[in-house]
Amino acid sequence: MVEDLGFASTMMDIPLQVRRLLDHGARVHGASRVITATDDGLRERTFAEIGARAAQLAHGLRDLGIGAGDRVGTFQWNNDRHVEAYLAVPSMGSVVHPLNIRLFPEQLIFTANHAADRVVIVDNSLLPGFAKLLPALTSVEHVIVAGDADLSVLDDAGVAVHSYESLLEGRATTYDWPDVDERSAAAMCYTSGTTGDPKGVVYSHRSIYLHALAEALPDVFDLSYRDLLLGVVPQFHVLAWGLPYTAFATGCSMAMPDRFLAPEPLARFIAAARPNKAAGVPTVWAGLLQHLAAAPDADVSSLTEVVVGGSALPEAMMKAFDARGITALHAWGMTEMSPLGTLARPPAGAAEADHDRYRLTQGRFVPSVEARLIGPDGDELPWDDESVGELEVRGPWIADAYYGADDPDKFHDGWLRTGDVGVISPDGYLRLTDRSKDVIKSGGEWISSVELEGHLIAHPDVVEASVVGVPDDRWGERPLAAVVLREGAQITFDDLRAFLADKVARWQLPERWTLVAEIPKTSVGKFDKKRIRRSYREDELDVTTLGSDRDR
Ligand code: AMP
């Protein structure tokens, strides 16, 4: 309960709205740019142009009958037009809903119907896939196709079909944006969880605005008009970590790779656009680093800092970036948190020799994010870098509920239960040891799957590694290590186990091993441990058992 002191401030009460970020970026940083990768090179648009086109898009949408609170879906890659939708739709009082193009069709259909999207803006390159989904999208009345395309594929779809550029053409380049309540909905994203239906998180104007300002801070992403940020994190995943909004707040230019995300075209895009900073999940960087190792001429020399989040940053990856003069910065967050929670820069005064230790934590809490650790018996634990508990958070850009779905277990007493397990140091550095559902509970003790994966990936012959808990008669659960080896590698599981032997306690060493061609990934590029566990259960994996119980 907030207390009224009976003595008011003399400050203006200006609502924090996306339209203010749009106006600020387009005017004050009008020369900043969004550079998009295309088939034949780069397309550049200034923030001033994007601001004008956002106004045109808003006029177009309004003429289609889209109004306050209506959901506008997007089915797009990271590109300038997608940024226009990010800005225009909330500014006109509607709600932008980036659809996760990588979800399984049933989940995609679920999210569009659950959000009741009335319009969907679709990239031409994604039109064939979208056309197949369309008959199942019950609320969609209009489809707007961005880029050149044969619109006749949607002739019998029973919706009105528009070309994005025709919708904008000739319209006014300013818009009388409404003065919406800062607490009203501006955008929504669905979690990409691997269990159950995806859950909707609805961001407010206020949460987006505050998140954008905090993200730009020097000890966070450190973004300003002097930067050009490569946005690899998809716009359909937690609003691209809010970065397009931070760009308009600060004037930071953006390099958007569109669909050119495979390592080789991505490296070419970096060489051509020359971003100095970047943001993305480890799987993208793993692919890029592997490509760079085999392509000495690829030029990524413009990059100085890469923010890595979404899954743990393995030490080997940090070192591989270091070797190229690029600082990998570890960040943690979640869809329910807009997503920013922590970012790992070493504290002032830390000895150089300690920097890596800090950088390998998930980082320090960003201002406005409050955290607490809850132990197995429900008690709050101290920040002593040792007590392991489940992390709970609260703050102005953290969800208090899912859209249309009760989850009292996740949200309780004004806190969000993150499902992440770890420790916090006295000076506020979070170190996650696992997801609560991935931690391996063996003989009454916990084994961190993340720690084992981090060590395995450091082996020069290991390309990918994922460790999951599997049922064990004697110990409850034991680790199963699934590894992808470098082509031509001559290494055995015994060698890998010996490699781990001086890094973790003996009883934590996996005895079950399996070689796989690829670790299955979720729609946002994280290891899909549920699928590995299922394959194990269904006897689809060729498992070798070493050492067995005698070592425990
Ligand atoms: P999502 O909502 O898809 O972004 O997933 C959020 C979850 O990803 C978090 O609850 C963590 O389990 C995981 N995650 C995100 N960032 C990190 C990180 N830096 N290290 C480890 N896990 C992370």
Side-chain angles (χ1 to χ4, degrees):
M1 198 60 170
V2 182
E3 203 179 334
D4 181 357
L5 300 178
F7 187 72
S9 84
T10 61
M11 291 296 109
M12 291 183 188
D13 193 10
I14 303 284
L16 310 177
Q17 298 150 327
V18 169
R19 61 170 263 221
R20 295 185 196 280
L21 297 175
L22 165 57
D23 281 344
H24 176 75
R27 271 195 185 190
V28 174
H29 298 295
S32 295
R33 299 160 301 155
V34 175
I35 304 172
T36 302
T38 69
D39 269 328
D40 39 350
L42 306 179
R43 179 173 66 231
E44 291 201 21
R45 290 215 165 101
T46 64
F47 282 13
E49 286 167 328
I50 287 180
R53 286 168 55 85
Q56 291 179 311
L57 173 59
H59 284 293
L61 289 169
R62 192 177 60 182
D63 282 3
L64 299 183
I66 299 306
D70 284 339
R71 269 76 72 199
V72 175
T74 60
F75 199 77
Q76 295 180 279
W77 298 107
N78 285 19
N79 57 42
D80 47 6
R81 295 188 186 107
H82 206 173
V83 173
E84 288 160 10
Y86 261 46
L87 295 164
V89 175
S91 296
M92 66 184 284
S94 306
V95 180
V96 66
H97 170 209
L99 288 155
N100 181 342
I101 60 175
R102 296 223 167 91
L103 280 181
F104 292 117
E106 320 78 79
Q107 289 186 318
L108 244 169
I109 291 164
F110 171 86
T111 57
N113 290 345
H114 190 256
D117 296 332
R118 287 188 62 198
V119 182
V120 183
I121 305 173
V122 185
D123 272 349
N124 54 358
S125 58
L126 295 167
L127 193 55
F130 181 76
K132 286 193 200 125
L133 300 174
L134 194 51
L137 305 187
T138 49
S139 55
V140 175
E141 299 157 44
H142 300 272
V143 173
I144 302 169
V145 181
D148 296 333
D150 173 10
L151 302 187
S152 66
V153 291
L154 297 178
D155 271 354
D156 302 323
V159 296
V161 180
H162 316 266
S163 132
Y164 186 88
E165 293 303 330
S166 312
L167 190 73
L168 268 61
E169 205 177 327
R171 294 188 186 270
T173 53
T174 57
Y175 191 102
D176 189 12
W177 305 116
D179 219 2
V180 299
D181 183 335
E182 66 174 16
R183 288 177 176 78
S184 55
M188 63 193 300
C189 281
Y190 280 76
T191 60
S192 51
T194 50
T195 43
D197 287 331
K199 307 275 192 324
V201 176
V202 183
Y203 308 102
S204 66
H205 285 262
R206 174 185 158 83
S207 69
I208 289 176
Y209 195 105
L210 291 171
H211 183 271
L213 296 187
E215 187 162 56
L217 288 171
D219 284 336
V220 188
F221 274 62
D222 187 21
L223 294 178
S224 86
Y225 70 92
R226 291 177 292 270
D227 293 308
L228 170 56
L229 176 85
L230 172 68
V232 183
V233 51
Q235 286 191 250
F236 55 73
H237 185 203
V238 213
L239 301 178
W241 298 352
L243 288 162
Y245 296 114
T246 308
F248 266 66
T250 60
C252 166
S253 291
M254 293 204 77
M256 293 300 218
D258 199 87
R259 63 187 190 281
F260 303 97
L261 292 166
E264 205 251 322
L266 185 62
R268 255 188 286 126
F269 180 53
I270 294 171
R274 301 199 61 73
N276 63 329
K277 294 184 177 167
V281 296
T283 39
V284 171
W285 303 129
L288 181 71
L289 286 165
Q290 220 185 320
H291 166 73
L292 294 177
D297 293 341
D299 178 10
V300 297
S301 60
S302 60
L303 284 175
T304 58
E305 280 187 354
V306 171
V307 180
V308 185
S311 314
L313 162 67
E315 184 170 3
M317 182 176 288
M318 193 176 94
K319 295 267 185 296
F321 273 122
D322 281 345
R324 296 185 171 275
I326 301 168
T327 304
L329 295 169
H330 197 185
W332 164 83
M334 47 198 304
T335 305
E336 293 85 341
M337 299 176 64
S338 298
L340 199 52
T342 60
L343 191 130
R345 293 183 191 269
E352 189 81 27
D354 286 336
H355 278 198
D356 286 4
R357 191 164 57 77
Y358 285 108
R359 288 173 57 208
L360 282 168
T361 69
Q362 268 66 20
R364 264 197 292 201
F365 293 98
V366 171
S368 295
V369 175
E370 292 174 58
R372 66 179 189 187
L373 278 180
I374 302 294
D377 49 7
D379 291 342
E380 192 170 341
L381 301 176
W383 291 17
D384 57 8
D385 215 12
E386 279 179 10
S387 306
V388 179
E390 183 172 352
L391 182 67
E392 300 195 345
V393 289
R394 66 180 179 194
W397 56 77
I398 296 175
D400 200 18
Y402 288 126
Y403 173 60
D406 278 343
D407 197 337
D409 189 48
K410 192 94 190 159
F411 308 96
H412 67 114
D413 329 321
W415 291 84
L416 166 72
R417 186 173 287 165
T418 63
D420 287 323
V421 170
V423 300
I424 304 177
S425 68
D427 50 353
Y429 281 83
L430 168 71
R431 188 160 49 80
L432 293 184
T433 48
D434 234 320
R435 286 291 290 164
S436 56
K437 60 181 192 301
D438 292 334
V439 76
I440 301 159
K441 299 179 181 100
S442 179
E445 295 190 76
W446 286 6
I447 301 176
S448 162
S449 65
V450 173
E451 191 184 348
L452 288 170
E453 288 161 5
H455 290 310
L456 280 171
I457 197 77
H459 191 287
D461 282 333
V462 175
V463 178
E464 284 183 333
S466 181
V467 181
V468 298
V470 295
D472 181 272
D473 289 343
R474 182 154 176 216
W475 304 108
E477 271 185 354
R478 291 295 298 153
L480 160 74
V483 288
V484 181
L485 292 184
R486 203 168 294 289
E487 228 178 282
Q490 294 296 320
I491 187 137
T492 66
F493 292 140
D494 275 311
D495 297 334
L496 286 176
R497 198 171 135 94
F499 177 74
L500 292 180
D502 62 347
K503 299 179 178 65
V504 298
R506 197 165 171 76
W507 60 271
Q508 300 190 344
L509 290 174
E511 46 285 316
R512 294 172 179 83
W513 294 78
T514 185
L515 202 59
V516 289
E518 193 191 346
I519 304 288
K521 315 270 185 334
T522 69
S523 63
V524 291
K526 303 183 192 201
F527 290 166
D528 191 345
K529 297 196 173 185
K530 191 170 149 248
R531 266 163 72 193
I532 304 175
R533 282 191 285 258
R534 192 176 54 215
S535 302
Y536 178 81
R537 246 191 347 262
E538 294 178 0
D539 235 359
E540 291 165 4
L541 299 175
D542 184 9
V543 177
T544 303
T545 304
L546 313 171
S548 188
D549 286 348
R550 67 163 193 263
D551 295 323
R552 289 227 24 172

